[in-house]
Amino acid sequence: MYSLTIYKTPDIVIRGMEITDYQVFSVPPRWVFLRLETDTELVGWGEATLAGHSSATVAAVETIMEHYLLGKDPREIERHWQAMYRGQYFRDGPILMSAIGGIDTALWDLKGKHFEAPVYELLGGRARDHIDVYQWIGGESASDVSDAAADAVQNGYNILKMEAVAHTDRLDPPETTERARKRVAAVREEVGEEIDLVVDFSGRVTIGAAKRLAAALDEYNPMFYEEPVRPAHFEALPKIEAHATTPLGTGERLYSRWAFQDVIEGRLVDVIQPDPSSAGGISEVKKIANAAETADISVSLHSPFGPIAFAACLQMDMVVPNALAQGQDLEIHDPEDNDLLRYLRDPTVFGFEDGNVRAPDEPGLGITVNEEYVRQQAQLDVDWQNPIWYHDDGSIAEW
């Protein structure tokens, strides 16, 4: 005979917590930071950067905070995410998802601080100890970009990212492809075969031109081609793949798991690149990454923005088993006298070494924001807009 002993669960008292205030800061060079304050004196930070649309994103954050989140318990992150998203009849798109992304990240920061654990512990614990980061290199000429590549390797990076072309015509003449080939060839010659190279098409070229470029650049063994076509033309990705052996990547202009659904289910690319700042934050991007794992697709989180967004990416990189490499434009190899990292009390917190970084292991996002500097910079007039490019005939080119 088996006997069943019933144990009475002791009463557990969970102390309440409430969001009491918030502030949104638009700061140089083009970033939007969010500060959430609670009645327990804990403060959470998030980043809702959407380059060129700061004012609209700030307004979206303020609307959500005023009409929904103030007075709520910040620990109920999934409930809040669903309310911020499903509570809108008109949803998706970069503005709303960037606002949700910044708020969601701040909620995770608060939750980690409440439980005195880094976010990666709350997401399931480490799947790795560190992750490689790549540095963007640029230059007008092939020699300029090869010099930038040499500097980046000297600074310790093992992965570089470069643009293949600037603006292009509808169907570029062969010399355009040849210029791109010379740029990539110069970098490969400079850094050798041991350095990985991501070649970014930035969705600037037409499908026909992308086929030609992909075939021409294959011999230089890129790690992957980033955004070979614009999001509106994903059905053409198999055409690009048919002309190249290099893996394909995309995703920085997709803003939810539903936007990624066809890409992942159709296995249209080998690498997806969601950006937590514009794709719904940590909660949403973790779900996107998990879906990609089921399709054997790698993840390289997009993060050309500020240190809060970068910290959020690193927390996810530690727990996402299919994470490949982490993008950044913060020049984290040089934390001293680095204006981009002055928004942190400790600019060395990311610990760049041998081309990789570890996620900070302090509670929450693991960083301490320099509030005094944030408030000072927020007094400046920030109105960053990307340039508008023109073809020779005066028509508008893709930026």
Side-chain angles (χ1 to χ4, degrees):
M1 280 297 280
Y2 292 99
S3 61
L4 178 64
T5 303
I6 300 176
Y7 294 94
K8 185 178 185 298
T9 303
D11 292 332
I12 299 175
V13 177
I14 300 178
R15 185 180 63 173
M17 186 190 298
E18 180 180 310
I19 298 174
T20 57
D21 200 5
Y22 74 96
Q23 289 176 292
V24 193
F25 304 95
S26 180
V27 298
R30 52 179 181 170
W31 302 335
V32 173
F33 296 161
L34 167 66
R35 180 185 187 274
L36 297 185
E37 189 174 322
T38 69
D39 58 352
T40 63
E41 298 185 352
L42 290 178
V43 171
W45 287 86
E47 184 168 344
T49 299
L50 185 66
H53 300 281
S54 294
S55 297
T57 307
V58 168
V61 170
E62 291 174 342
T63 298
I64 293 172
M65 292 302 306
E66 295 291 340
H67 291 274
Y68 171 71
L69 204 54
L70 279 177
K72 299 292 195 302
D73 187 331
R75 293 170 297 183
E76 298 181 349
I77 298 176
E78 185 61 28
R79 188 199 305 268
H80 298 325
W81 198 98
Q82 296 293 330
M84 290 186 290
Y85 181 82
R86 297 186 188 277
Q88 304 290 331
Y89 183 73
F90 296 101
R91 60 183 74 160
D92 293 314
I95 302 298
L96 175 63
M97 298 306 288
S98 294
I100 292 176
I103 293 170
D104 178 84
T105 297
L107 293 175
W108 277 106
D109 191 32
L110 276 172
K111 191 160 189 170
K113 290 171 179 175
H114 174 77
F115 287 107
E116 298 183 348
V119 168
Y120 65 75
E121 292 288 8
L122 303 183
L123 294 175
R126 288 182 184 271
R128 61 174 48 80
D129 296 324
H130 55 75
I131 190 162
D132 288 331
V133 292
Y134 54 79
Q135 175 70 24
W136 185 85
I137 56 173
E140 290 294 326
S141 67
S143 61
D144 289 340
V145 75
S146 66
D147 288 345
D151 289 342
V153 172
Q154 181 66 31
N155 289 330
Y157 292 98
N158 302 311
I159 307 173
L160 311 178
K161 178 172 131 176
M162 65 175 291
E163 291 178 343
V165 295
H167 67 272
T168 61
D169 294 323
R170 294 293 305 165
L171 275 176
D172 285 291
E175 55 261 33
T176 300
T177 300
E178 181 62 16
R179 284 198 301 270
R181 191 194 65 77
K182 287 181 179 179
R183 285 169 61 85
V184 178
V187 172
R188 180 56 76 200
E189 182 179 356
E190 177 64 43
V191 303
E193 295 293 332
E194 298 301 315
I195 301 299
D196 283 315
L197 184 61
V198 177
V199 178
D200 191 357
F201 287 32
S202 295
R204 288 175 180 161
V205 296
T206 62
I207 296 166
K211 291 188 292 185
R212 180 181 288 162
L213 272 176
L217 302 180
D218 242 14
E219 65 177 291
Y220 304 107
N221 297 317
M223 188 179 194
F224 63 92
Y225 292 137
E226 180 172 333
E227 211 173 21
V229 297
R230 293 186 293 281
H233 302 311
F234 281 162
E235 76 284 351
L237 284 168
K239 294 183 178 181
I240 311 302
E241 188 176 43
H243 287 76
T245 60
T246 297
L248 305 181
T250 198
E252 68 184 78
R253 288 189 278 184
L254 300 179
Y255 309 113
S256 71
R257 76 196 87 153
W258 297 280
F260 276 94
Q261 186 171 355
D262 289 345
V263 175
I264 292 173
E265 290 181 355
R267 291 176 169 85
L268 298 181
V269 295
D270 307 282
V271 183
I272 59 165
Q273 300 171 274
D275 190 321
S277 288
S278 54
I282 291 172
S283 297
E284 185 71 349
V285 170
K286 178 68 162 55
K287 293 172 183 175
I288 293 168
N290 291 156
E293 184 187 5
T294 69
D296 196 27
I297 294 174
S298 297
V299 174
S300 180
L301 297 179
H302 185 258
S303 185
F305 302 132
I308 301 175
F310 184 65
C313 286
L314 292 182
Q315 295 293 326
M316 281 184 285
D317 287 326
M318 294 304 101
V319 303
V320 172
N322 49 326
L324 175 67
Q326 178 59 57
Q328 59 88 33
D329 281 348
L330 293 171
E331 299 185 349
I332 56 173
H333 62 277
D334 182 22
E336 306 299 337
D337 298 321
N338 185 330
D339 286 343
L340 300 179
L341 294 175
R342 288 186 65 190
Y343 290 101
L344 303 181
R345 287 288 181 193
D346 178 10
T348 68
V349 68
F350 299 125
F352 177 85
E353 183 178 1
D354 296 329
N356 60 68
V357 296
R358 300 173 63 92
D361 55 11
E362 291 299 312
L365 295 178
I367 58 175
T368 301
V369 173
N370 185 343
E371 291 193 31
E372 181 181 355
Y373 186 68
V374 170
R375 295 179 189 279
Q376 173 191 346
Q377 295 299 102
Q379 301 302 312
L380 303 177
D381 183 21
V382 182
D383 186 24
W384 184 91
Q385 296 291 321
N386 60 258
I388 296 177
W389 288 349
Y390 295 86
H391 294 302
D392 290 340
D393 64 1
S395 60
I396 304 297
E398 289 284 345
W399 186 71

mmCIF file with all atom_site columns, all heavy atoms in Angstrom, residues 304-320:
data_model
loop_
_atom_site.group_PDB
_atom_site.id
_atom_site.type_symbol
_atom_site.label_atom_id
_atom_site.label_alt_id
_atom_site.label_comp_id
_atom_site.label_asym_id
_atom_site.label_entity_id
_atom_site.label_seq_id
_atom_site.pdbx_PDB_ins_code
_atom_site.Cartn_x
_atom_site.Cartn_y
_atom_site.Cartn_z
_atom_site.occupancy
_atom_site.B_iso_or_equiv
_atom_site.pdbx_formal_charge
_atom_site.auth_seq_id
_atom_site.auth_comp_id
_atom_site.auth_asym_id
_atom_site.auth_atom_id
_atom_site.pdbx_PDB_model_num
ATOM 1   N N   . PRO A 1 304 ? 23.483 48.442 -33.300 1.00 0.00 ? 304 PRO A N   1
ATOM 2   C CA  . PRO A 1 304 ? 24.399 49.531 -33.627 1.00 0.00 ? 304 PRO A CA  1
ATOM 3   C C   . PRO A 1 304 ? 24.142 50.772 -32.771 1.00 0.00 ? 304 PRO A C   1
ATOM 4   O O   . PRO A 1 304 ? 24.494 51.879 -33.176 1.00 0.00 ? 304 PRO A O   1
ATOM 5   C CB  . PRO A 1 304 ? 24.068 49.802 -35.091 1.00 0.00 ? 304 PRO A CB  1
ATOM 6   C CG  . PRO A 1 304 ? 22.593 49.572 -35.160 1.00 0.00 ? 304 PRO A CG  1
ATOM 7   C CD  . PRO A 1 304 ? 22.295 48.454 -34.178 1.00 0.00 ? 304 PRO A CD  1
ATOM 8   N N   . PHE A 1 305 ? 23.495 50.603 -31.616 1.00 0.00 ? 305 PHE A N   1
ATOM 9   C CA  . PHE A 1 305 ? 23.027 51.744 -30.834 1.00 0.00 ? 305 PHE A CA  1
ATOM 10  C C   . PHE A 1 305 ? 23.797 51.865 -29.525 1.00 0.00 ? 305 PHE A C   1
ATOM 11  O O   . PHE A 1 305 ? 25.005 51.661 -29.500 1.00 0.00 ? 305 PHE A O   1
ATOM 12  C CB  . PHE A 1 305 ? 21.524 51.643 -30.630 1.00 0.00 ? 305 PHE A CB  1
ATOM 13  C CG  . PHE A 1 305 ? 20.749 51.586 -31.911 1.00 0.00 ? 305 PHE A CG  1
ATOM 14  C CD1 . PHE A 1 305 ? 19.758 50.628 -32.119 1.00 0.00 ? 305 PHE A CD1 1
ATOM 15  C CD2 . PHE A 1 305 ? 21.024 52.462 -32.945 1.00 0.00 ? 305 PHE A CD2 1
ATOM 16  C CE1 . PHE A 1 305 ? 19.061 50.570 -33.314 1.00 0.00 ? 305 PHE A CE1 1
ATOM 17  C CE2 . PHE A 1 305 ? 20.327 52.414 -34.147 1.00 0.00 ? 305 PHE A CE2 1
ATOM 18  C CZ  . PHE A 1 305 ? 19.338 51.465 -34.328 1.00 0.00 ? 305 PHE A CZ  1
ATOM 19  N N   . GLY A 1 306 ? 23.103 52.204 -28.441 1.00 0.00 ? 306 GLY A N   1
ATOM 20  C CA  . GLY A 1 306 ? 23.770 52.569 -27.208 1.00 0.00 ? 306 GLY A CA  1
ATOM 21  C C   . GLY A 1 306 ? 24.122 51.420 -26.288 1.00 0.00 ? 306 GLY A C   1
ATOM 22  O O   . GLY A 1 306 ? 23.787 50.263 -26.545 1.00 0.00 ? 306 GLY A O   1
ATOM 23  N N   . PRO A 1 307 ? 24.794 51.732 -25.175 1.00 0.00 ? 307 PRO A N   1
ATOM 24  C CA  . PRO A 1 307 ? 25.274 50.686 -24.264 1.00 0.00 ? 307 PRO A CA  1
ATOM 25  C C   . PRO A 1 307 ? 24.180 49.958 -23.510 1.00 0.00 ? 307 PRO A C   1
ATOM 26  O O   . PRO A 1 307 ? 24.395 48.826 -23.072 1.00 0.00 ? 307 PRO A O   1
ATOM 27  C CB  . PRO A 1 307 ? 26.195 51.463 -23.309 1.00 0.00 ? 307 PRO A CB  1
ATOM 28  C CG  . PRO A 1 307 ? 25.723 52.884 -23.379 1.00 0.00 ? 307 PRO A CG  1
ATOM 29  C CD  . PRO A 1 307 ? 25.238 53.087 -24.776 1.00 0.00 ? 307 PRO A CD  1
ATOM 30  N N   . ILE A 1 308 ? 23.012 50.572 -23.340 1.00 0.00 ? 308 ILE A N   1
ATOM 31  C CA  . ILE A 1 308 ? 21.918 49.857 -22.672 1.00 0.00 ? 308 ILE A CA  1
ATOM 32  C C   . ILE A 1 308 ? 21.403 48.753 -23.586 1.00 0.00 ? 308 ILE A C   1
ATOM 33  O O   . ILE A 1 308 ? 21.190 47.610 -23.150 1.00 0.00 ? 308 ILE A O   1
ATOM 34  C CB  . ILE A 1 308 ? 20.796 50.830 -22.272 1.00 0.00 ? 308 ILE A CB  1
ATOM 35  C CG1 . ILE A 1 308 ? 21.329 51.906 -21.325 1.00 0.00 ? 308 ILE A CG1 1
ATOM 36  C CG2 . ILE A 1 308 ? 19.644 50.075 -21.620 1.00 0.00 ? 308 ILE A CG2 1
ATOM 37  C CD1 . ILE A 1 308 ? 20.315 52.987 -20.978 1.00 0.00 ? 308 ILE A CD1 1
ATOM 38  N N   . ALA A 1 309 ? 21.206 49.078 -24.862 1.00 0.00 ? 309 ALA A N   1
ATOM 39  C CA  . ALA A 1 309 ? 20.787 48.066 -25.833 1.00 0.00 ? 309 ALA A CA  1
ATOM 40  C C   . ALA A 1 309 ? 21.833 46.969 -25.950 1.00 0.00 ? 309 ALA A C   1
ATOM 41  O O   . ALA A 1 309 ? 21.493 45.777 -26.047 1.00 0.00 ? 309 ALA A O   1
ATOM 42  C CB  . ALA A 1 309 ? 20.542 48.717 -27.192 1.00 0.00 ? 309 ALA A CB  1
ATOM 43  N N   . PHE A 1 310 ? 23.098 47.340 -25.939 1.00 0.00 ? 310 PHE A N   1
ATOM 44  C CA  . PHE A 1 310 ? 24.172 46.353 -26.056 1.00 0.00 ? 310 PHE A CA  1
ATOM 45  C C   . PHE A 1 310 ? 24.172 45.419 -24.849 1.00 0.00 ? 310 PHE A C   1
ATOM 46  O O   . PHE A 1 310 ? 24.340 44.198 -24.991 1.00 0.00 ? 310 PHE A O   1
ATOM 47  C CB  . PHE A 1 310 ? 25.516 47.069 -26.186 1.00 0.00 ? 310 PHE A CB  1
ATOM 48  C CG  . PHE A 1 310 ? 26.684 46.140 -26.416 1.00 0.00 ? 310 PHE A CG  1
ATOM 49  C CD1 . PHE A 1 310 ? 26.767 45.389 -27.565 1.00 0.00 ? 310 PHE A CD1 1
ATOM 50  C CD2 . PHE A 1 310 ? 27.702 46.048 -25.481 1.00 0.00 ? 310 PHE A CD2 1
ATOM 51  C CE1 . PHE A 1 310 ? 27.845 44.536 -27.786 1.00 0.00 ? 310 PHE A CE1 1
ATOM 52  C CE2 . PHE A 1 310 ? 28.781 45.212 -25.695 1.00 0.00 ? 310 PHE A CE2 1
ATOM 53  C CZ  . PHE A 1 310 ? 28.859 44.447 -26.843 1.00 0.00 ? 310 PHE A CZ  1
ATOM 54  N N   . ALA A 1 311 ? 23.958 45.973 -23.655 1.00 0.00 ? 311 ALA A N   1
ATOM 55  C CA  . ALA A 1 311 ? 23.902 45.147 -22.451 1.00 0.00 ? 311 ALA A CA  1
ATOM 56  C C   . ALA A 1 311 ? 22.747 44.157 -22.533 1.00 0.00 ? 311 ALA A C   1
ATOM 57  O O   . ALA A 1 311 ? 22.874 42.991 -22.137 1.00 0.00 ? 311 ALA A O   1
ATOM 58  C CB  . ALA A 1 311 ? 23.763 46.026 -21.211 1.00 0.00 ? 311 ALA A CB  1
ATOM 59  N N   . ALA A 1 312 ? 21.602 44.610 -23.049 1.00 0.00 ? 312 ALA A N   1
ATOM 60  C CA  . ALA A 1 312 ? 20.452 43.711 -23.203 1.00 0.00 ? 312 ALA A CA  1
ATOM 61  C C   . ALA A 1 312 ? 20.792 42.573 -24.165 1.00 0.00 ? 312 ALA A C   1
ATOM 62  O O   . ALA A 1 312 ? 20.434 41.415 -23.920 1.00 0.00 ? 312 ALA A O   1
ATOM 63  C CB  . ALA A 1 312 ? 19.242 44.493 -23.711 1.00 0.00 ? 312 ALA A CB  1
ATOM 64  N N   . CYS A 1 313 ? 21.482 42.888 -25.256 1.00 0.00 ? 313 CYS A N   1
ATOM 65  C CA  . CYS A 1 313 ? 21.882 41.855 -26.204 1.00 0.00 ? 313 CYS A CA  1
ATOM 66  C C   . CYS A 1 313 ? 22.792 40.819 -25.545 1.00 0.00 ? 313 CYS A C   1
ATOM 67  O O   . CYS A 1 313 ? 22.621 39.611 -25.742 1.00 0.00 ? 313 CYS A O   1
ATOM 68  C CB  . CYS A 1 313 ? 22.597 42.478 -27.400 1.00 0.00 ? 313 CYS A CB  1
ATOM 69  S SG  . CYS A 1 313 ? 21.520 43.345 -28.554 1.00 0.00 ? 313 CYS A SG  1
ATOM 70  N N   . LEU A 1 314 ? 23.750 41.282 -24.774 1.00 0.00 ? 314 LEU A N   1
ATOM 71  C CA  . LEU A 1 314 ? 24.688 40.352 -24.146 1.00 0.00 ? 314 LEU A CA  1
ATOM 72  C C   . LEU A 1 314 ? 23.990 39.420 -23.172 1.00 0.00 ? 314 LEU A C   1
ATOM 73  O O   . LEU A 1 314 ? 24.350 38.238 -23.049 1.00 0.00 ? 314 LEU A O   1
ATOM 74  C CB  . LEU A 1 314 ? 25.800 41.122 -23.432 1.00 0.00 ? 314 LEU A CB  1
ATOM 75  C CG  . LEU A 1 314 ? 26.771 41.890 -24.329 1.00 0.00 ? 314 LEU A CG  1
ATOM 76  C CD1 . LEU A 1 314 ? 27.847 42.560 -23.483 1.00 0.00 ? 314 LEU A CD1 1
ATOM 77  C CD2 . LEU A 1 314 ? 27.407 40.969 -25.355 1.00 0.00 ? 314 LEU A CD2 1
ATOM 78  N N   . GLN A 1 315 ? 22.988 39.939 -22.447 1.00 0.00 ? 315 GLN A N   1
ATOM 79  C CA  . GLN A 1 315 ? 22.243 39.073 -21.542 1.00 0.00 ? 315 GLN A CA  1
ATOM 80  C C   . GLN A 1 315 ? 21.585 37.935 -22.324 1.00 0.00 ? 315 GLN A C   1
ATOM 81  O O   . GLN A 1 315 ? 21.568 36.784 -21.874 1.00 0.00 ? 315 GLN A O   1
ATOM 82  C CB  . GLN A 1 315 ? 21.188 39.878 -20.781 1.00 0.00 ? 315 GLN A CB  1
ATOM 83  C CG  . GLN A 1 315 ? 21.754 40.939 -19.837 1.00 0.00 ? 315 GLN A CG  1
ATOM 84  C CD  . GLN A 1 315 ? 22.510 40.334 -18.658 1.00 0.00 ? 315 GLN A CD  1
ATOM 85  O OE1 . GLN A 1 315 ? 22.161 39.271 -18.168 1.00 0.00 ? 315 GLN A OE1 1
ATOM 86  N NE2 . GLN A 1 315 ? 23.523 41.040 -18.185 1.00 0.00 ? 315 GLN A NE2 1
ATOM 87  N N   . MET A 1 316 ? 21.042 38.241 -23.493 1.00 0.00 ? 316 MET A N   1
ATOM 88  C CA  . MET A 1 316 ? 20.428 37.199 -24.322 1.00 0.00 ? 316 MET A CA  1
ATOM 89  C C   . MET A 1 316 ? 21.460 36.292 -24.967 1.00 0.00 ? 316 MET A C   1
ATOM 90  O O   . MET A 1 316 ? 21.262 35.080 -25.092 1.00 0.00 ? 316 MET A O   1
ATOM 91  C CB  . MET A 1 316 ? 19.534 37.832 -25.383 1.00 0.00 ? 316 MET A CB  1
ATOM 92  C CG  . MET A 1 316 ? 18.194 38.267 -24.848 1.00 0.00 ? 316 MET A CG  1
ATOM 93  S SD  . MET A 1 316 ? 17.109 38.897 -26.148 1.00 0.00 ? 316 MET A SD  1
ATOM 94  C CE  . MET A 1 316 ? 17.868 40.494 -26.429 1.00 0.00 ? 316 MET A CE  1
ATOM 95  N N   . ASP A 1 317 ? 22.578 36.872 -25.409 1.00 0.00 ? 317 ASP A N   1
ATOM 96  C CA  . ASP A 1 317 ? 23.626 36.067 -26.026 1.00 0.00 ? 317 ASP A CA  1
ATOM 97  C C   . ASP A 1 317 ? 24.078 34.938 -25.111 1.00 0.00 ? 317 ASP A C   1
ATOM 98  O O   . ASP A 1 317 ? 24.454 33.860 -25.577 1.00 0.00 ? 317 ASP A O   1
ATOM 99  C CB  . ASP A 1 317 ? 24.835 36.945 -26.369 1.00 0.00 ? 317 ASP A CB  1
ATOM 100 C CG  . ASP A 1 317 ? 24.592 37.847 -27.562 1.00 0.00 ? 317 ASP A CG  1
ATOM 101 O OD1 . ASP A 1 317 ? 23.869 37.430 -28.483 1.00 0.00 ? 317 ASP A OD1 1
ATOM 102 O OD2 . ASP A 1 317 ? 25.129 38.973 -27.564 1.00 0.00 ? 317 ASP A OD2 1
ATOM 103 N N   . MET A 1 318 ? 24.056 35.182 -23.814 1.00 0.00 ? 318 MET A N   1
ATOM 104 C CA  . MET A 1 318 ? 24.509 34.156 -22.876 1.00 0.00 ? 318 MET A CA  1
ATOM 105 C C   . MET A 1 318 ? 23.564 32.967 -22.822 1.00 0.00 ? 318 MET A C   1
ATOM 106 O O   . MET A 1 318 ? 23.984 31.853 -22.491 1.00 0.00 ? 318 MET A O   1
ATOM 107 C CB  . MET A 1 318 ? 24.665 34.756 -21.474 1.00 0.00 ? 318 MET A CB  1
ATOM 108 C CG  . MET A 1 318 ? 25.763 35.805 -21.325 1.00 0.00 ? 318 MET A CG  1
ATOM 109 S SD  . MET A 1 318 ? 27.415 35.246 -21.822 1.00 0.00 ? 318 MET A SD  1
ATOM 110 C CE  . MET A 1 318 ? 27.566 35.982 -23.467 1.00 0.00 ? 318 MET A CE  1
ATOM 111 N N   . VAL A 1 319 ? 22.287 33.166 -23.147 1.00 0.00 ? 319 VAL A N   1
ATOM 112 C CA  . VAL A 1 319 ? 21.307 32.088 -22.973 1.00 0.00 ? 319 VAL A CA  1
ATOM 113 C C   . VAL A 1 319 ? 20.790 31.520 -24.289 1.00 0.00 ? 319 VAL A C   1
ATOM 114 O O   . VAL A 1 319 ? 20.110 30.499 -24.285 1.00 0.00 ? 319 VAL A O   1
ATOM 115 C CB  . VAL A 1 319 ? 20.108 32.556 -22.118 1.00 0.00 ? 319 VAL A CB  1
ATOM 116 C CG1 . VAL A 1 319 ? 20.572 33.051 -20.770 1.00 0.00 ? 319 VAL A CG1 1
ATOM 117 C CG2 . VAL A 1 319 ? 19.303 33.639 -22.819 1.00 0.00 ? 319 VAL A CG2 1
ATOM 118 N N   . VAL A 1 320 ? 21.088 32.159 -25.407 1.00 0.00 ? 320 VAL A N   1
ATOM 119 C CA  . VAL A 1 320 ? 20.605 31.692 -26.711 1.00 0.00 ? 320 VAL A CA  1
ATOM 120 C C   . VAL A 1 320 ? 21.644 30.743 -27.297 1.00 0.00 ? 320 VAL A C   1
ATOM 121 O O   . VAL A 1 320 ? 22.738 31.175 -27.684 1.00 0.00 ? 320 VAL A O   1
ATOM 122 C CB  . VAL A 1 320 ? 20.355 32.884 -27.659 1.00 0.00 ? 320 VAL A CB  1
ATOM 123 C CG1 . VAL A 1 320 ? 20.040 32.395 -29.069 1.00 0.00 ? 320 VAL A CG1 1
ATOM 124 C CG2 . VAL A 1 320 ? 19.218 33.751 -27.135 1.00 0.00 ? 320 VAL A CG2 1
#
